[in-house]
Amino acid sequence: MLHVMFNVDCNPVGKQRPKFRKIGNFVQTYTPKKTVDFEQQVRKAAEKAMGGMEPLETPVALYCYVRLLPGRSFPKKRLEACLNGLERPKKPDLDNVVKAVQDALNGVIYKDDAQIVSLHATKKYDMNPGVEIL
């Protein structure tokens, strides 16, 4: 069994809905920059972790451990509660962060995210934001 584990040190972003803009008589669809930037960071870390190996073609279990910065305006008592796991973040939606990670791993870790047969994800506050992926 192959294990690929890596860390992405950045501010996790949930997958945003596509945006639309009209140019003349045409409508262009695009992915918001925050989503594109986050997916690129995850993809680069995944490529490095794979070390040139081909994407897996087997069933895959995906574990995502999402670390988010507490709010800057949190009072000291609330900050301590957040860092001790007594309060969990509400935003961004965990499923949207995981979707961005899954899309970023397509063609790098696995051929298609349809290969994911088991998924575990959690989010918590941490002073070092990022995503640990296994």
Side-chain angles (χ1 to χ4, degrees), residues 5-42:
M5 186 171 155
F6 59 97
N7 190 46
V8 183
D9 292 321
C10 68
N11 212 9
V13 175
K15 181 86 172 186
Q16 297 172 300
R17 295 179 188 272
K19 304 284 184 196
F20 304 92
R21 66 179 158 223
K22 190 170 183 177
I23 301 173
N25 291 331
F26 300 98
V27 175
Q28 183 182 30
T29 305
Y30 66 97
T31 303
K33 183 173 177 11
K34 283 175 67 172
T35 299
V36 170
D37 291 347
F38 176 63
E39 288 180 357
Q40 285 177 344
Q41 287 181 292
V42 172

Side-chain angles (χ1 to χ4, degrees), residues 90-119:
K90 293 182 176 104
K91 297 279 183 176
D93 288 357
L94 183 59
D95 59 331
N96 290 338
V97 175
V98 170
K99 183 60 183 159
V101 168
Q102 289 174 326
D103 288 350
L105 301 181
N106 268 333
V108 178
I109 300 291
Y110 40 73
K111 291 217 179 245
D112 187 81
D113 56 11
Q115 293 169 242
I116 299 171
V117 296
S118 176
L119 176 64

